[in-house]
Amino acid sequence: MSAKTIERLEGIGPLVERYQTFLLDQFGVLHDGQAPYPGAVEALSALKRAGKTVVLISNSGKRARPNEDRLLKLGFAAGSWDHFVSSGEVAWRSFNDMAASGMLRPGTKCLLISRDNDRTAIEGLPFVLTEAGEDAELVLISASEGDRHDLDHYRQLLAPPAARKVPCFCTNPDRIMLTAVGPRFGAGEIADLYESLGGSVTRIGKPYPAIFSAALALAGQPERGSVVCIGDSVEHDIAGGNGVGVATALVLSGILADTPDLAAVFDEQQAWPDYITGSFSLR
């Protein structure tokens, strides 16, 4: 059990008074993939008007720019955040550095697991795409289509490279994703499947330190006591924030909406927020 006292808030107003740097998740906090949550557009803009540093930090397998473009299309105001750090962006830069140093051979055959045939995760990298697991030399899991396929679809695709111990990278460790037809298994669940088939996976994103290090670097390495991480996932946002020593706030608008026993979730994940709020809104 944790001795931490969790403060319940009605909106993020008190956090604006207490913290200078905000690390914000997007899915489940700002929007549900289809539309902004009530009050979220105004709350995000209010942070910037208050002079706060706002870094959006997301377990999206896409690079930063397509994520930012979507936020604008959803109605969020341009300039209402300072930086966007996605796990896809962190991974792309890592692969790019590996290519520049010669660690990544040009023409490496990559089996890309993505959504809507999206290839932005590897644009500009020296990969050759393959759709056959039998000849893949690297597997990149950037997104799930769990609302369109079952896990058997991915099992058939991934069994051959897993059996050959082909290295796999997962740039979206989320095991659950919100879709128009309800929660479905995310890319993190596909990564777990790859491991169960005998392969090994390098996960990039929350709660792992690299994405938080990138976000804090962009924010100017602020004092940890002036930073709050706000998200809807105990496993990713709260555990990740705990791991880098910043305050955390759990928003109950996303995957934990209507969860009857939050204490059990905290104990299971061994991660506890400092704050709980029903929504990312001013009240």
Side-chain angles (χ1 to χ4, degrees), residues 32 34 115 147 178-182:
D32 63 3
Q34 311 295 319
R115 189 169 178 82
D147 49 342
L178 301 175
T179 77
V181 294

Side-chain angles (χ1 to χ4, degrees), residues 19-246:
Y19 299 97
Q20 175 58 33
T21 299
F22 286 73
L23 307 181
L24 302 179
D25 183 34
Q26 57 162 342
F27 280 99
V29 174
L30 300 179
H31 63 85
D32 63 3
Q34 311 295 319
Y37 289 116
V41 171
E42 170 58 24
L44 191 62
S45 293
L47 289 179
K48 286 308 301 169
R49 286 200 303 273
K52 306 301 180 180
T53 300
V54 178
V55 183
L56 303 184
I57 176 170
S58 172
N59 274 1
S60 167
K62 292 185 177 182
R63 295 190 64 189
R65 179 55 62 83
N67 277 287
E68 294 183 288
D69 289 344
R70 176 172 51 198
L71 286 173
L72 296 175
K73 289 178 182 176
L74 288 175
F76 289 91
S80 58
W81 62 89
D82 294 290
H83 307 283
F84 194 110
V85 181
S86 69
S87 47
E89 184 72 29
V90 173
W92 189 94
R93 293 181 181 278
S94 176
F95 286 134
N96 194 49
D97 289 345
M98 288 166 64
S101 69
M103 291 176 59
L104 184 65
R105 180 180 57 78
T108 295
K109 293 179 181 176
C110 174
L111 175 62
L112 175 64
I113 307 294
S114 66
R115 189 169 178 82
D116 300 322
N117 204 31
D118 177 66
R119 298 183 177 185
T120 57
I122 62 166
E123 281 181 356
L125 296 173
F127 291 133
V128 172
L129 278 178
T130 178
E131 296 183 2
E134 287 78 9
D135 61 359
E137 298 170 303
L138 182 147
V139 176
L140 177 57
I141 304 172
S142 71
S144 164
E145 292 187 315
D147 49 342
R148 301 168 194 170
H149 303 295
D150 59 20
L151 274 174
D152 276 339
H153 166 81
Y154 292 107
R155 183 175 287 108
Q156 293 176 28
L157 191 60
L158 295 173
R164 292 188 294 111
K165 310 293 186 185
V166 171
C168 174
F169 296 83
C170 176
T171 57
N172 186 338
D174 293 357
R175 290 183 173 88
I176 301 172
M177 66 173 181
L178 301 175
T179 77
V181 294
R184 292 294 185 267
F185 65 85
E189 192 75 21
I190 301 173
D192 290 349
L193 171 67
Y194 193 79
E195 287 180 326
S196 76
L197 293 168
S200 62
V201 179
T202 299
R203 290 170 175 82
I204 300 170
K206 299 175 290 185
Y208 304 102
I211 193 168
F212 285 95
S213 296
L216 291 167
L218 286 171
Q221 299 296 0
E223 289 291 328
R224 295 296 194 267
S226 69
V227 181
V228 61
C229 175
I230 303 177
D232 71 319
S233 168
V234 177
E235 180 182 2
H236 302 106
D237 304 302
I238 306 307
N242 288 175
V244 295
V246 303

